[in-house]
């Protein structure tokens, strides 16, 4: 299946110009070509439907991601890191990643975490700030604290790929 997705991606990339994946939303900027694979999401999905329900399905996940990306971009501490990055793509790919990990019925088509954050200069304090922003977005959505923490523990090991080496 992931082989098929890769073929589709490569095909569409050649039709639409380099780096334009078939899943791109209107207005997305193109990125250098890469092979789409769920393993790029950086974590395996939860079993069963419990976590997807706790996050109110795809609609809830979309609200959380949109709020998180907007709040991060407007944040006095980390906002600058998000300046001049494609927020349309960011909202789509982070939505896909969260939806995939929460087992809410999506595939992840973005880049892996090391490639996505290379050269962004992200420090520990930036990571902690982003987690706070995400916690606020999940709380606003009404996600129970236990489910929030289960999800955050899936993201925690990704720190090593996100932080500046
Ligand atoms: C575990 C924590 C994190 C996860 C799961 C995550 C997830 C992602 C994903 C899925 C993408 C998009 C990949 C793609 O477009 O192909 C991305 C890109 C990005 N992330 Fe993160 N991220 C994390 C931490 C952070 C932190 C702490 C910051 C800054 C404070 C940050 C800033 C960015 C920026 C600016 C981009 C856009 C890069 C570009 O346009 O090339 N991320 N992240």
């Amino acid at each position: 299946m992931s082989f098929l997705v890769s073929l589709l991606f490569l095909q569409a990339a050649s039709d639409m110009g380099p780096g334009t994946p078939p899943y791109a939303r209107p207005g997305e900027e193109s990125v250098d070509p890469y092979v789409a694979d769920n393993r790029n999401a950086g974590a395996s999905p939860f079993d069963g439907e419990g976590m997807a329900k706790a996050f109110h399905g795809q609609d809830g996940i979309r609200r959380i991601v949109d709020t998180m990306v907007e709040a991060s971009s407007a944040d006095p501490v980390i906002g600058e890191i998000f300046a001049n990055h494609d927020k349309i793509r960011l909202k789509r790919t982070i939505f896909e990643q969260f939806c995939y990990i929460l087992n809410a019925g999506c595939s992840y088509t973005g880049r892996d975490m090391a490639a996505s954050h290379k050269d962004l200069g992200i420090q520990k304090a930036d990571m902690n700030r982003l987690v706070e922003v995400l916690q606020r977005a999940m709380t606003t959505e009404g996600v129970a604290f236990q489910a929030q923490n289960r999800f955050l523990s899936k993201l925690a090991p990704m720190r090593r790929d996100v932080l500046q080496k």
Side-chain angles (χ1 to χ4, degrees), residues 47-73:
D47 290 329
E49 294 176 355
M51 287 297 279
K53 281 194 179 142
F55 278 69
H56 308 148
Q58 293 192 7
D59 289 346
I61 297 168
R62 202 177 292 286
R63 284 189 290 270
I64 290 167
V65 172
D66 286 355
T67 302
M68 182 183 92
V69 172
E70 290 301 331
S72 300
S73 304

Side-chain angles (χ1 to χ4, degrees), residues 41-130:
S44 55
F46 287 101
D47 290 329
E49 294 176 355
M51 287 297 279
K53 281 194 179 142
F55 278 69
H56 308 148
Q58 293 192 7
D59 289 346
I61 297 168
R62 202 177 292 286
R63 284 189 290 270
I64 290 167
V65 172
D66 286 355
T67 302
M68 182 183 92
V69 172
E70 290 301 331
S72 300
S73 304
D75 189 86
V77 178
I78 55 173
E80 209 174 306
I81 301 176
F82 288 85
N84 304 319
H85 287 284
D86 179 359
K87 274 201 278 178
I88 299 176
R89 177 184 171 90
L90 201 49
K91 284 178 179 171
R92 174 179 66 82
T93 48
I94 296 181
F95 165 77
E96 288 177 0
Q97 183 191 36
F98 286 13
C99 176
Y100 170 71
I101 293 171
L102 291 163
N103 202 18
C106 305
S107 293
Y108 177 64
T109 68
R111 294 164 288 191
D112 67 38
M113 292 306 97
S116 312
H117 300 91
K118 190 175 167 285
D119 302 329
L120 290 179
I122 297 171
Q123 306 296 312
K124 258 191 206 158
D126 303 320
M127 180 76 205
N128 293 341
R129 188 76 175 187
L130 184 80

